[in-house]
Amino acid sequence: MYNFTTVHERRNTHSEKWDNLKKIYLIDDATDILPMWVADMDFAIAPVIKDAIQKRLEHPIFGYSIAPEETRSSLTNWVYSKHQLAIKNEWILFRQGVIPAIAEAIEAFTDVGDKICIHTPVYPPFTSIPKNLEREVVTCRLIEKENSYEVDWLAFESCLRSNVKLFILCNPHNPSGKVWSKEDLAKMAKLCQQYNVLILSDEIHADLVFHPNKHTPMLSVADDLHNIITFFAPTKTFNLAGIQAAATVVPDEKKRKVLESISKSRGDMGLNVFSLTALQAAYEQGAPWLDELLEVLSSNIEYVIEHLSKLDGIKVAKPDGTYLIWIDYRGTGLSEKDMMNRLLTKGKLALEPGTKFGQSGDGFLRMNVACPPITLKDGVARFIHALS
């Protein structure tokens, strides 16, 4: 039903992914570089979302907007339908993005100098945001096992009891694409409750999970919902990062009021009219598009694994979810500097270096495969050429 094969020209559209390569990779000429780094998709958005925005454009006034109950209900209905999690409309605080929302929660519930625990390797803002807010980041390194990761439970508990105030969880995990089991999440929740550590659960990739894996919301396994704040967004699922829409789900009324107070003190105006329109359309009508997207992503992932795994020294882990592949190149003996140089200068390919996700990411690369198959095959060919 949907078109996932057309290649859309994104250069000169003020795209972070396509138009910021020179600055990020410190190169003079990026015109022939294929970017497979930033986690947004090279697919057109679902037609129902585009149609909803165009319909809103027919009304010529774009004044201050409020979030109607229908918009909140679109999210609560989606989360219940997709993840069997019942949340209430009043628990929802709309924000412009998950990272700003996480930063707001850190400011609200910790003080300067407080300790914040994260697993590594992990999405870079989990480290940079607390540090920028003058909090101390305590890292708990995940254990590599069978081309995936597990929690080091002894290290995690040691981290929590070292006077940590807050734990930021990546669920599903970025960069590896691991979908945490119900048992793992329940154990994390129990330990955090035991040591009175607030959990911030980033579930932005919740909808991008491949069968037979299933996303488990942290709120569905915890005994104490007051100890958890969850973040959802349609931006990864429906390629709406530039629209900027996210939701902070806060069951605890006192914590919700604290966050609302901070938002008011900053003059935060909430979501704009187009964000509200896109979010509601996505959650109400986007399911068929998402079903096809997951098939395309699954096929792309299989292609990458089939071809890159043939290379000497390369291991490619199959992700449970997300459209990100975590590539282990330690067997090549190349340093990160040498690998990145080969990819950029010979392969003309831009991937994310593993150390961006913490020192435990050294020897890895992150590849974004959310692109038309012809683009993906080009990227794989460039990778192979870089190592030839």
Side-chain angles (χ1 to χ4, degrees):
M1 289 177 59
Y2 303 102
N3 181 358
F4 292 100
T5 59
T6 296
V7 177
H8 297 273
E9 178 58 65
R10 296 189 63 191
R11 285 187 174 87
N12 302 314
T13 62
H14 309 297
S15 162
E16 170 75 7
K17 182 177 181 180
W18 287 83
D19 293 330
N20 206 27
L21 288 164
K22 291 172 65 175
K23 178 180 177 181
I24 298 299
Y25 290 92
L26 304 176
I27 50 180
D28 296 328
D29 184 8
T31 54
D32 56 353
I33 301 290
L34 176 64
M36 301 181 79
W37 61 301
V38 171
D40 70 11
M41 298 191 249
D42 291 325
F43 299 125
I45 63 171
V48 291
I49 302 174
K50 185 177 179 181
D51 291 345
I53 294 172
Q54 287 180 329
K55 183 177 180 180
R56 180 60 186 86
L57 280 166
E58 291 174 4
H59 193 293
I61 298 174
F62 310 110
Y64 296 117
S65 301
I66 59 172
E69 283 304 298
E70 309 92 83
T71 305
R72 297 178 186 278
S73 296
S74 71
L75 173 58
T76 56
N77 292 339
W78 177 272
V79 171
Y80 185 76
S81 172
K82 290 292 181 183
H83 311 298
Q84 293 72 57
L85 174 67
I87 61 176
K88 299 178 181 179
N89 281 13
E90 57 264 32
W91 293 0
I92 297 170
L93 302 174
F94 285 121
R95 296 294 182 261
Q96 292 179 335
V98 167
I99 294 306
I102 288 175
E104 180 183 65
I106 290 172
E107 284 193 280
F109 304 114
T110 66
D111 295 318
V112 170
D114 280 350
K115 294 181 179 179
I116 292 176
C117 177
I118 61 171
H119 290 143
T120 59
V122 77
Y123 182 51
F126 282 25
T127 302
S128 62
I129 295 298
K131 285 185 176 180
N132 290 341
L133 293 171
E134 299 180 76
R135 274 61 170 176
E136 180 183 346
V137 176
V138 182
T139 60
C140 177
R141 184 166 180 161
L142 296 171
I143 300 172
E144 292 180 52
K145 186 173 182 180
E146 297 175 359
N147 239 14
S148 186
Y149 288 101
E150 292 185 354
V151 176
D152 183 334
W153 293 108
L154 290 176
F156 184 54
E157 185 169 4
S158 176
C159 170
L160 297 181
R161 66 168 175 253
S162 66
N163 201 29
V164 159
K165 296 295 179 66
L166 188 148
F167 165 53
I168 313 177
L169 170 67
C170 201
N171 178 34
H173 182 248
N174 173 8
S176 74
K178 180 181 177 64
V179 171
W180 298 109
S181 70
K182 184 175 181 179
E183 293 74 21
D184 281 345
L185 292 168
K187 192 170 181 178
M188 291 182 211
K190 185 176 181 180
L191 285 169
C192 286
Q193 183 178 354
Q194 177 182 340
Y195 292 102
N196 194 29
V197 174
L198 177 65
I199 300 173
L200 304 185
S201 185
D202 175 0
E203 304 190 13
I204 196 171
H205 289 102
D207 304 318
L208 298 169
V209 172
F210 307 110
H211 182 78
N213 304 294
K214 184 172 177 56
H215 173 71
T216 302
M218 178 57 89
L219 281 171
S220 69
V221 300
D223 294 328
D224 182 11
L225 300 187
H226 302 284
N227 197 46
I228 297 169
I229 297 174
T230 302
F231 307 91
F232 292 111
T235 48
K236 286 288 183 282
T237 308
F238 294 101
N239 204 29
L240 300 171
I243 292 288
Q244 298 185 334
T248 305
V249 178
V250 194
D252 185 88
E253 184 179 6
K254 290 182 179 179
K255 288 185 175 65
R256 202 161 58 245
K257 287 183 176 179
V258 170
L259 291 173
E260 288 175 332
S261 176
I262 290 177
S263 180
K264 288 179 181 178
S265 71
R266 293 174 172 172
D268 184 356
M269 302 301 293
L271 299 188
N272 67 57
V273 61
F274 300 110
S275 300
L276 292 167
T277 301
L279 182 147
Q280 186 171 335
Y283 285 141
E284 288 183 348
Q285 305 173 68
W289 183 89
L290 174 59
D291 290 341
E292 284 196 24
L293 169 70
L294 289 171
E295 292 181 12
V296 175
L297 294 178
S298 182
S299 177
N300 282 359
I301 288 167
E302 292 294 343
Y303 185 89
V304 172
I305 292 172
E306 177 187 355
H307 289 82
L308 295 193
S309 294
K310 296 176 182 177
L311 299 175
D312 290 340
I314 299 293
K315 293 181 181 179
V316 187
K318 184 176 182 178
D320 302 327
T322 79
Y323 47 72
L324 307 167
I325 294 184
W326 194 229
I327 300 170
D328 180 353
Y329 66 87
R330 290 173 295 181
T332 65
L334 293 171
S335 68
E336 184 170 272
K337 181 179 179 180
D338 289 340
M339 174 58 82
M340 292 302 296
N341 184 59
R342 284 192 181 213
L343 289 171
L344 288 167
T345 61
K346 186 175 181 182
K348 304 297 182 182
L349 178 67
L351 303 184
E352 294 273 31
T355 56
K356 190 171 182 178
F357 303 86
Q359 196 54 44
S360 58
D362 191 19
F364 291 83
L365 300 161
R366 194 190 75 172
M367 172 185 276
N368 173 358
V369 301
C371 56
I374 191 171
T375 304
L376 180 88
K377 291 176 181 179
D378 182 21
V380 169
R382 289 169 185 244
F383 191 106
I384 293 171
H385 178 63
L387 293 186
S388 65

